[in-house]
Amino acid sequence: MTWGPLRRLTGPAARLGLRHGSARTRFTALYVTLFLLSGTALLAIAAVVASGGSRDSRTAPGGGTALPATAAQARGRIDDLERQLAGAHDTQTRQILLGCAIALGVMLVISAALGWFVAGRVLRPLRVMTAATRRITADNLHERLAVDGPDDEVKDLADTIDDLLGRLEDSFDAQRLFVANASHELRTPLTTMRASLDVALAKPGPVPGTTATLAARMRTELDQVDRLLEGLLVLARSRHGEFTDPARLALGRLAHTALTARAEDIAAGGLTVRETRIDDSAWVHGSRTLLRRAVDNVIDNAVVHNGPGGSIAVTVRAEGGGPGTVSLVVESDGPVLDQRRVADLAQPFRRLGGDRTGTGRGSGLGLSIVAAVVRAHHGTLDLRARPAGGLRVTLTLPGAGAEGAP
């Protein structure tokens, strides 16, 4: 017996066991089939026994009946009585078989209902386990199924899943701890190298041109490594769901601040902000640091990976009544991208070719940090290649409403 259909049970229909081909349906069909076969066999045995009894019945009741005067008349009378008795027995047998067949049909319906109920009771722990397992993600691996009950196969399966979740949690924690510790530890040699450069350049006397050029190049590389380490720290913290500074924030204000801070870079690249539409009612609730970093990364991506003389469009809007959802849409020009590979940009250290790495400013973590931050805030990130070239990035987050906002 396989439990494959349980993986496909979703939605209200699955909770009621109505999905076609579900384990509950198959169990019910099995119960009904077994009942039908056993009932048919019982009817067949009863028919054989009844027909045998009809052939063996040869005695006619003679109580109170006067015998005929002659032997021939007596023999005829006996044959007549035997035929009447056989006919009555056959009629009674047919009636019994017909009644049994009707009872079998009624019990078939009742067995289907009982089978459906019993199958539901048997599979209920598995449905609860399936729903609980679906709710457990990388952000809440500490949760467990914790199924109570006798030590049977179902409890063994639940305990096995709990053990697996425990090992996954330990693995994720070890990975996050390693990234955080490595990032912190690497900052010390970076600081030492920066200090060494400063000491070398601060010595009395003229500094050779080659030394100054090498020092400038080393500073650029150190800045790149520093941004990479900072990105790893933010990525680890966002994936762990650590919100040390929760607040209600205006997403449009964050986008406007990010554009203002990059005004010089936009002008230096010959870029233009062709459109800025900001909805003042677009409020979200979450980590101030992480959300600001996500918005900054999206704007940075639009500036750094834009085409010469390109443009940027930023839209912030609130959707739906009440809190609803809030979205940030950033469109940028650039080369035509392959949509099948655009989704890879949300993975760490993924790029779409040399044209997106020639600036030397990117660390390959920008959009992956955005994806992790959005996921930690129960939102979605959508990356779309624009037909005319460039990228369209859409962040969708749960809205917090504007009432009582600071």
Side-chain angles (χ1 to χ4, degrees):
M1 183 180 299
T2 61
W3 304 100
L6 290 177
R7 296 186 299 108
R8 300 188 294 270
L9 294 176
T10 57
R15 289 193 295 270
L16 294 175
L18 299 178
R19 187 179 178 92
H20 177 71
S22 66
R24 188 176 187 181
T25 303
R26 294 166 63 184
F27 273 135
T28 304
L30 177 62
Y31 297 154
V32 172
T33 301
L34 292 176
F35 178 81
L36 182 61
L37 291 177
S38 61
T40 303
L42 181 61
L43 281 179
I45 294 173
V48 170
V49 172
S51 61
S54 176
R55 288 191 299 267
D56 293 340
S57 297
R58 291 292 184 268
T59 303
T65 304
L67 293 177
T70 63
Q73 291 177 343
R75 183 62 182 174
R77 181 61 175 171
I78 292 174
D79 293 340
D80 184 56
L81 291 175
E82 286 181 350
R83 285 193 298 271
Q84 293 179 8
L85 182 60
H89 189 277
D90 291 340
T91 301
Q92 186 178 18
T93 300
R94 286 193 298 269
Q95 291 176 348
I96 293 175
L97 293 178
L98 179 60
C100 291
I102 295 174
L104 178 62
V106 174
M107 290 304 299
L108 187 64
V109 176
I110 296 176
S111 67
L114 290 176
W116 182 265
F117 174 75
V118 172
R121 296 280 295 182
V122 171
L123 296 175
R124 180 181 297 175
L126 295 181
R127 291 199 299 271
V128 173
M129 291 167 52
T130 302
T133 305
R134 284 199 181 99
R135 289 194 302 268
I136 298 176
T137 63
D139 298 327
N140 57 348
L141 281 174
H142 61 279
E143 296 186 8
R144 297 292 182 269
L145 301 181
V147 174
D148 297 328
D151 293 332
D152 53 9
E153 291 81 357
V154 175
K155 188 154 190 322
D156 289 342
L157 176 60
D159 292 341
T160 302
I161 295 176
D162 286 341
D163 292 340
L164 175 61
L165 291 174
R167 292 193 296 271
L168 286 175
E169 183 182 14
D170 293 340
S171 176
F172 273 73
D173 289 342
Q175 182 185 25
R176 290 161 180 157
L177 184 62
F178 170 77
V179 172
N181 290 339
S183 300
H184 281 297
E185 292 297 329
L186 288 175
R187 288 185 182 275
T188 300
L190 286 177
T191 304
T192 303
M193 285 186 282
R194 287 181 187 276
S196 299
L197 287 176
D198 293 337
V199 171
L201 294 176
K203 287 182 178 180
V207 178
T210 55
T211 302
T213 302
L214 180 61
R217 184 172 181 178
M218 287 294 295
R219 283 185 180 278
T220 301
E221 295 300 326
L222 288 174
D223 291 340
Q224 175 71 8
V225 175
D226 191 56
R227 286 193 296 268
L228 176 61
L229 292 178
E230 184 182 358
L232 289 173
L233 279 173
V234 175
L235 185 61
R237 187 164 62 250
S238 59
R239 285 184 172 178
H240 193 55
E242 295 179 355
F243 295 166
T244 58
D245 54 347
R248 186 191 296 269
L249 304 169
L251 192 62
R253 190 178 303 169
L254 294 179
H256 183 269
T257 302
L259 282 173
T260 303
R262 287 151 186 81
E264 293 184 2
D265 294 334
I266 293 175
L271 306 177
T272 58
V273 181
R274 68 173 185 272
E275 184 180 17
T276 303
R277 293 185 297 173
I278 295 179
D279 188 350
D280 294 334
S281 63
W283 291 81
V284 296
H285 189 276
S287 169
R288 185 186 301 273
T289 302
L290 294 181
L291 288 176
R292 181 185 293 118
R293 182 59 181 269
V295 175
D296 288 346
N297 283 6
V298 173
I299 300 298
D300 276 337
N301 184 79
V303 174
V304 173
H305 301 297
N306 211 312
S311 62
I312 301 173
V314 178
T315 303
V316 178
R317 60 176 178 266
E319 302 174 352
T325 59
V326 173
S327 62
L328 167 66
V329 182
V330 178
E331 298 186 51
S332 59
D333 295 333
V336 178
L337 304 176
D338 186 357
Q339 179 59 41
R340 292 174 297 181
R341 298 182 58 197
V342 163
D344 292 341
L345 295 175
Q347 301 297 324
F349 307 109
R350 297 290 180 89
R351 300 179 176 91
L352 296 185
D355 57 325
R356 293 181 64 85
T357 60
T359 61
R361 292 181 53 186
S363 62
L365 291 174
L367 291 180
S368 63
I369 291 176
V370 176
V373 171
V374 171
R375 191 181 306 114
H377 288 80
H378 308 289
T380 58
L381 173 66
D382 182 64
L383 305 177
R384 295 290 174 181
R386 301 177 67 231
L391 188 66
R392 184 176 189 266
V393 181
T394 303
L395 278 71
T396 303
L397 298 169
E403 293 79 9

